[in-house]
Amino acid sequence: MSEIDWGKGKYEPTAADLLPAARQLVDAARIKPGEHVVDVGAGTGNVALLAADLGARVTAVEPAARLREVIEETAAGRDLVVVDGTAESIPLTDGSADVILSNFAVIFAADPAAAIAELSRVAAPSSRILLTSWLPGVMGKLVGIVVGAVRELSDGRNPAAGAIDWHDPKALSELFGPHGYEVSATTLELGIVTASAEEYWETRIANHPLGVATFPLLQQAGRLDEIRARFLEALTSDHADPSGEIHIPAQYLLATATR
Ligand SMILES: C[S@@+](CC[C@H](N)C(=O)[O-])C[C@H]1O[C@@H](n2cnc3c(N)ncnc32)[C@H](O)[C@@H]1O
């Protein structure tokens, strides 16, 4: 599991930002009614709920207890089971999933090879696994302002980064290849909009689980105000329209592994 406790703070505004990518992921999976779909790192259930609404039997795997509760509350009446687990440890039997989906989540696995081995174990022989990950660029630059400072103040590790380049199709092929999968990938764009730069900072950074995990360190070092000012400046200069509304074009990779 990542160093961030995703149950802390308020992840929900980011989940709303990621919903269009969840729709793309579910569309790309071409889910048939009755298929068993596993959503790994389900968060508040973006993907799991969409898949259930298509008639799939869904298992949402999520390590954060508070987020599991959120899914359970929303999922009432749907064919959707919520379980505690991570990409590296999924409480399902071998070959039981027709489709495995992960929207910006398996990318947080501390051990990517173990995670893909576990996904492959749970996946049926003719299954498909689809995942999304950020491409370097806008999101990396913005979030990098915060994590860059955190790295300077800690042991150099990036709390928001995956252990491999999940956006690199070659890296994905190397991970999936040994399990008999072929990987194809496409680049997509997610438009993120907020009313102002300050709102983005408050709702997507300060109260995001990443902010909750890292702000005490920045505060202790007396650097939080400086980081906030740099972040707002970068956001405004690159992404504000004349009214101050923020429009972030965030590029990401949608990868499909089939066997
Ligand atoms: C950026 S959120 C994405 C959540 C959701 N898929 C969505 O579309 O909003 C990352 C999610 O990955 C989960 N996560 C963190 N480490 C994980 C791991 N090792 N395996 C699976 N999920 C993990 C977090 O708890 C969090 O719910």
Side-chain angles (χ1 to χ4, degrees), residues 208-226:
H208 184 282
L210 172 66
V212 174
T214 58
F215 276 26
L217 188 64
L218 299 175
Q219 209 143 24
Q220 239 173 9
R223 293 199 54 192
L224 190 53
D225 289 348
E226 165 222 328

Side-chain angles (χ1 to χ4, degrees), residues 1-2 6 11 15 18 40-43 46 62-63 67 86-88 103-105 108-109:
M1 189 169 161
S2 69
W6 289 86
Y11 172 68
L18 300 187
V40 177
N46 271 345
E62 170 54 47
L67 298 182
T86 64
E88 299 95 324
N103 198 32
F104 302 102
F108 291 101

Side-chain angles (χ1 to χ4, degrees), residues 192-223:
I192 299 174
V193 181
T194 57
S196 67
E198 288 78 10
E199 184 191 309
Y200 190 90
W201 173 262
E202 280 308 311
T203 57
R204 274 45 166 210
I205 303 292
N207 293 306
H208 184 282
L210 172 66
V212 174
T214 58
F215 276 26
L217 188 64
L218 299 175
Q219 209 143 24
Q220 239 173 9
R223 293 199 54 192

Side-chain angles (χ1 to χ4, degrees), residues 11-29 44-47 50 103-104 132 134 188-193 204 248 250 252-254:
Y11 172 68
E12 282 82 342
T14 301
D17 289 342
L18 300 187
L19 184 56
R23 285 205 187 94
Q24 291 276 5
L25 193 61
V26 169
D27 283 355
T44 54
N46 271 345
V47 166
L50 290 168
N103 198 32
F104 302 102
T132 52
W134 294 117
L188 297 167
E189 192 171 287
L190 186 64
I192 299 174
V193 181
R204 274 45 166 210
I248 302 175
Y252 67 97
L253 192 85
L254 194 166

